[in-house]
Amino acid sequence: MSTEAPKRDQWQWENATAGAAAGFATVAVMHPLDVVRTRFQVNDGRVSHLPSYRNTAHAIFTIARSEGLRGLYAGFLPGVLGSTISWGLYFFFYDKAKQRYARSREGKLNAGLHLVSAAEAGALVCLCTNPVWLVKTRLQLQTPLHQTRPYSGLYDAFRTIMREEGFSALYRGIVPGLFLVSHGAVQFTAYEELRKVIANFKSKGSKVHHQNPDKLLNSVDYAVLGATSKFAAILLTYPFQVIRARLQQRPSGDGVPRYLDSWHVVKETARFEGIRGFYKGITPNLLKNAPASSITFIVYENVLKLLKLTRTND
């Protein structure tokens, strides 16, 4: 008992470390597409302080030309911070939940318990990181067309929001954010179930018997698994991302938010834009997240293997 507990704790921290490394790598490569997605999401065609773009490529070239690299990487620091913390905490909470449920079921988890574990982890992460995502969204939406004084950076954004809008403003968008927990739940459930299918398929085709079929998987397998599971999750949960982004916009000069709550966003979007409004920005989102998820799971699984190898050698 005394030796198992330290091993279990060490394993949990290895999961957190691998998740954090994966999150950083993902943001660093894909951030410009994240900026484009956010600008598409909030542009309902009825405001003058947001530029209009024809498509994803036009948006990237326009931002690069008018705002430079700084525009393409607007909100990069909170993006890195939020993603690194989120993935680190997510894998940590997710693995801890799986272990807790597995103890009472002789180590066997079905799809439902994977779903519950992912949802539990997602809710905890959402509560921890919503302020960081709000600041990232606002920094990404700062353009030369803005009338209000721009935030100079992460710290200035937090300080200005606290002074002008109060602490509660940092949790704008928390309701759709909690609904977005289903995104992680769908993604991780799909990932786990597909991984079992591929591992078992490879195990049957292998001449060498493996006690752990997961050892047969390589980086290409993890890339396919990550992209496929992410694609399924995006299609099902994307409207919640649009609602959250619109709620997290900075109030106009008179301090009045554009949208009062989630239901207000739903009504206004449906009225003026129809169903298409709830899927604005989905193209850059897919371009960003399908390969990003592949990168995340490749880094996560390989860092995890490296940490396990280091521990074994010790």
Side-chain angles (χ1 to χ4, degrees), residues 135-297:
V135 169
K136 186 203 77 166
T137 297
R138 293 194 176 185
L139 288 172
Q140 289 179 333
L141 294 176
Q142 291 188 154
T143 72
L145 299 177
H146 259 88
Q147 303 298 316
T148 50
R149 183 189 72 82
Y151 304 126
S152 61
L154 178 64
Y155 174 71
D156 181 55
F158 273 117
R159 188 179 59 181
T160 306
I161 292 167
M162 289 287 287
R163 186 180 67 249
E164 295 180 354
E165 303 169 61
F167 177 77
S168 62
L170 293 173
Y171 278 87
R172 284 186 65 80
I174 189 69
V175 173
L178 286 170
F179 275 107
L180 276 167
V181 166
S182 61
H183 179 102
V186 171
Q187 181 184 356
F188 270 77
T189 303
Y191 181 84
E192 294 282 1
E193 294 306 309
L194 286 169
R195 184 169 70 171
K196 286 181 191 175
V197 171
I198 293 177
N200 289 334
F201 178 77
K202 283 198 161 189
S203 180
K204 287 176 183 176
S206 175
K207 294 179 181 178
V208 182
H209 177 70
H210 286 266
Q211 281 189 323
N212 183 6
D214 278 356
K215 290 183 177 178
L216 293 168
L217 301 181
N218 56 36
S219 291
V220 174
D221 296 320
Y222 294 134
V224 172
L225 285 168
T228 306
S229 59
K230 190 69 174 182
F231 183 75
I234 287 171
L235 290 180
L236 289 171
T237 63
Y238 190 76
F240 293 116
Q241 290 192 43
V242 173
I243 295 168
R244 183 175 66 172
R246 294 189 175 194
L247 277 173
Q248 291 182 338
Q249 292 178 87
R250 189 175 185 178
S252 56
D254 56 7
V256 179
R258 180 159 180 74
Y259 297 102
L260 302 176
D261 52 36
S262 298
W263 181 236
H264 188 211
V265 178
V266 173
K267 287 191 298 182
E268 292 288 292
T269 304
R271 178 186 172 193
F272 291 102
E273 302 163 76
I275 192 69
R276 287 170 62 95
F278 293 102
Y279 283 89
K280 279 195 169 178
I282 194 167
T283 301
N285 193 68
L286 287 170
L287 290 172
K288 168 186 175 286
N289 282 304
S293 189
S294 297
I295 294 168
T296 297
F297 281 103

Side-chain angles (χ1 to χ4, degrees), residues 3 27 41 52 71 80 116 118 128 144 163 171-172 199 215 228 269 272 300 302:
T3 56
V27 176
Q41 284 177 337
S52 293
V80 168
V116 172
C128 293
R163 186 180 67 249
Y171 278 87
R172 284 186 65 80
K215 290 183 177 178
T228 306
T269 304
F272 291 102
Y300 172 71
N302 284 291

